[in-house]
PDB file of all heavy atoms in Angstrom:
ATOM      1  N   ILE A  12     115.740-292.068  41.537  1.00 98.00           N
ATOM      2  CA  ILE A  12     116.167-292.487  42.886  1.00 98.00           C
ATOM      3  C   ILE A  12     116.681-291.263  43.658  1.00 98.00           C
ATOM      4  O   ILE A  12     116.330-291.067  44.822  1.00 98.00           O
ATOM      5  CB  ILE A  12     117.231-293.605  42.788  1.00 98.00           C
ATOM      6  CG1 ILE A  12     116.555-294.916  42.334  1.00 98.00           C
ATOM      7  CG2 ILE A  12     117.956-293.803  44.120  1.00 98.00           C
ATOM      8  CD1 ILE A  12     117.513-296.054  42.005  1.00 98.00           C
ATOM      9  N   ALA A  13     117.474-290.423  43.000  1.00 97.00           N
ATOM     10  CA  ALA A  13     118.031-289.231  43.659  1.00 97.00           C
ATOM     11  C   ALA A  13     116.919-288.274  44.101  1.00 97.00           C
ATOM     12  O   ALA A  13     117.020-287.634  45.151  1.00 97.00           O
ATOM     13  CB  ALA A  13     119.003-288.513  42.721  1.00 97.00           C
ATOM     14  N   ARG A  14     115.849-288.202  43.305  1.00 96.00           N
ATOM     15  CA  ARG A  14     114.707-287.339  43.656  1.00 96.00           C
ATOM     16  C   ARG A  14     113.782-288.004  44.670  1.00 96.00           C
ATOM     17  O   ARG A  14     112.760-287.442  45.032  1.00 96.00           O
ATOM     18  CB  ARG A  14     113.902-286.989  42.403  1.00 96.00           C
ATOM     19  CG  ARG A  14     114.590-286.020  41.454  1.00 96.00           C
ATOM     20  CD  ARG A  14     113.590-285.379  40.490  1.00 96.00           C
ATOM     21  NE  ARG A  14     112.931-286.357  39.641  1.00 96.00           N
ATOM     22  CZ  ARG A  14     113.337-286.693  38.413  1.00 96.00           C
ATOM     23  NH1 ARG A  14     114.411-286.127  37.901  1.00 96.00           N
ATOM     24  NH2 ARG A  14     112.672-287.583  37.702  1.00 96.00           N
ATOM     25  N   LYS A  15     114.113-289.246  45.061  1.00 94.00           N
ATOM     26  CA  LYS A  15     113.346-290.037  46.035  1.00 94.00           C
ATOM     27  C   LYS A  15     111.960-290.399  45.498  1.00 94.00           C
ATOM     28  O   LYS A  15     111.048-290.674  46.258  1.00 94.00           O
ATOM     29  CB  LYS A  15     113.249-289.319  47.403  1.00 94.00           C
ATOM     30  CG  LYS A  15     114.584-288.765  47.929  1.00 94.00           C
ATOM     31  CD  LYS A  15     115.241-289.712  48.910  1.00 94.00           C
ATOM     32  CE  LYS A  15     116.679-289.362  49.234  1.00 94.00           C
ATOM     33  NZ  LYS A  15     116.911-288.457  50.337  1.00 94.00           N
ATOM     34  N   GLU A  16     111.837-290.407  44.164  1.00 96.00           N
ATOM     35  CA  GLU A  16     110.581-290.885  43.554  1.00 96.00           C
ATOM     36  C   GLU A  16     110.530-292.399  43.590  1.00 96.00           C
ATOM     37  O   GLU A  16     109.459-292.998  43.638  1.00 96.00           O
ATOM     38  CB  GLU A  16     110.494-290.427  42.089  1.00 96.00           C
ATOM     39  CG  GLU A  16     110.222-288.953  41.929  1.00 96.00           C
ATOM     40  CD  GLU A  16     110.376-288.518  40.485  1.00 96.00           C
ATOM     41  OE1 GLU A  16     110.362-289.365  39.564  1.00 96.00           O
ATOM     42  OE2 GLU A  16     110.519-287.305  40.284  1.00 96.00           O
ATOM     43  N   VAL A  17     111.704-293.010  43.490  1.00 96.00           N
ATOM     44  CA  VAL A  17     111.837-294.467  43.619  1.00 96.00           C
ATOM     45  C   VAL A  17     112.528-294.704  44.951  1.00 96.00           C
ATOM     46  O   VAL A  17     113.611-294.178  45.201  1.00 96.00           O
ATOM     47  CB  VAL A  17     112.676-295.051  42.459  1.00 96.00           C
ATOM     48  CG1 VAL A  17     112.946-296.536  42.669  1.00 96.00           C
ATOM     49  CG2 VAL A  17     111.971-294.802  41.130  1.00 96.00           C
ATOM     50  N   LYS A  18     111.857-295.457  45.814  1.00 96.00           N
ATOM     51  CA  LYS A  18     112.378-295.674  47.177  1.00 96.00           C
ATOM     52  C   LYS A  18     113.560-296.648  47.176  1.00 96.00           C
ATOM     53  O   LYS A  18     113.503-297.707  46.558  1.00 96.00           O
ATOM     54  CB  LYS A  18     111.274-296.252  48.064  1.00 96.00           C
ATOM     55  CG  LYS A  18     110.224-295.229  48.472  1.00 96.00           C
ATOM     56  CD  LYS A  18     110.537-294.618  49.843  1.00 96.00           C
ATOM     57  CE  LYS A  18     109.658-293.426  50.170  1.00 96.00           C
ATOM     58  NZ  LYS A  18     109.956-292.222  49.395  1.00 96.00           N
ATOM     59  N   VAL A  19     114.612-296.263  47.870  1.00 98.00           N
ATOM     60  CA  VAL A  19     115.754-297.147  48.090  1.00 98.00           C
ATOM     61  C   VAL A  19     116.152-297.009  49.557  1.00 98.00           C
ATOM     62  O   VAL A  19     115.769-296.052  50.231  1.00 98.00           O
ATOM     63  CB  VAL A  19     116.972-296.781  47.194  1.00 98.00           C
ATOM     64  CG1 VAL A  19     116.724-297.085  45.731  1.00 98.00           C
ATOM     65  CG2 VAL A  19     117.398-295.334  47.403  1.00 98.00           C
ATOM     66  N   GLU A  20     116.945-297.974  50.024  1.00 98.00           N
ATOM     67  CA  GLU A  20     117.521-297.858  51.369  1.00 98.00           C
ATOM     68  C   GLU A  20     118.706-296.900  51.259  1.00 98.00           C
ATOM     69  O   GLU A  20     119.674-297.196  50.540  1.00 98.00           O
ATOM     70  CB  GLU A  20     117.990-299.245  51.846  1.00 98.00           C
ATOM     71  CG  GLU A  20     118.654-299.218  53.208  1.00 98.00           C
ATOM     72  CD  GLU A  20     119.522-300.451  53.476  1.00 98.00           C
ATOM     73  OE1 GLU A  20     119.379-301.450  52.738  1.00 98.00           O
ATOM     74  OE2 GLU A  20     120.341-300.401  54.393  1.00 98.00           O
ATOM     75  N   VAL A  21     118.613-295.764  51.923  1.00 98.00           N
ATOM     76  CA  VAL A  21     119.725-294.808  51.870  1.00 98.00           C
ATOM     77  C   VAL A  21     120.811-295.277  52.838  1.00 98.00           C
ATOM     78  O   VAL A  21     120.585-295.380  54.037  1.00 98.00           O
ATOM     79  CB  VAL A  21     119.249-293.375  52.214  1.00 98.00           C
ATOM     80  CG1 VAL A  21     120.434-292.416  52.283  1.00 98.00           C
ATOM     81  CG2 VAL A  21     118.220-292.894  51.191  1.00 98.00           C
ATOM     82  N   ILE A  22     121.976-295.590  52.281  1.00 98.00           N
ATOM     83  CA  ILE A  22     123.098-296.055  53.115  1.00 98.00           C
ATOM     84  C   ILE A  22     123.811-294.849  53.718  1.00 98.00           C
ATOM     85  O   ILE A  22     124.100-294.810  54.903  1.00 98.00           O
ATOM     86  CB  ILE A  22     124.119-296.874  52.277  1.00 98.00           C
ATOM     87  CG1 ILE A  22     123.438-297.995  51.491  1.00 98.00           C
ATOM     88  CG2 ILE A  22     125.253-297.412  53.149  1.00 98.00           C
ATOM     89  CD1 ILE A  22     122.838-299.081  52.317  1.00 98.00           C
ATOM     90  N   GLU A  23     124.086-293.874  52.889  1.00 98.00           N
ATOM     91  CA  GLU A  23     124.710-292.619  53.312  1.00 98.00           C
ATOM     92  C   GLU A  23     124.276-291.554  52.308  1.00 98.00           C
ATOM     93  O   GLU A  23     123.934-291.872  51.168  1.00 98.00           O
ATOM     94  CB  GLU A  23     126.250-292.715  53.304  1.00 98.00           C
ATOM     95  CG  GLU A  23     126.862-293.498  54.449  1.00 98.00           C
ATOM     96  CD  GLU A  23     126.813-292.759  55.788  1.00 98.00           C
ATOM     97  OE1 GLU A  23     126.608-291.529  55.812  1.00 98.00           O
ATOM     98  OE2 GLU A  23     126.980-293.433  56.813  1.00 98.00           O
TER      99      GLU A  23
END
Side-chain angles (χ1 to χ4, degrees):
I12 288 172
R14 289 198 298 266
K15 313 263 168 89
E16 287 171 18
V17 174
K18 285 265 170 288
V19 290
E20 178 199 345
V21 175
I22 308 294
E23 285 287 343

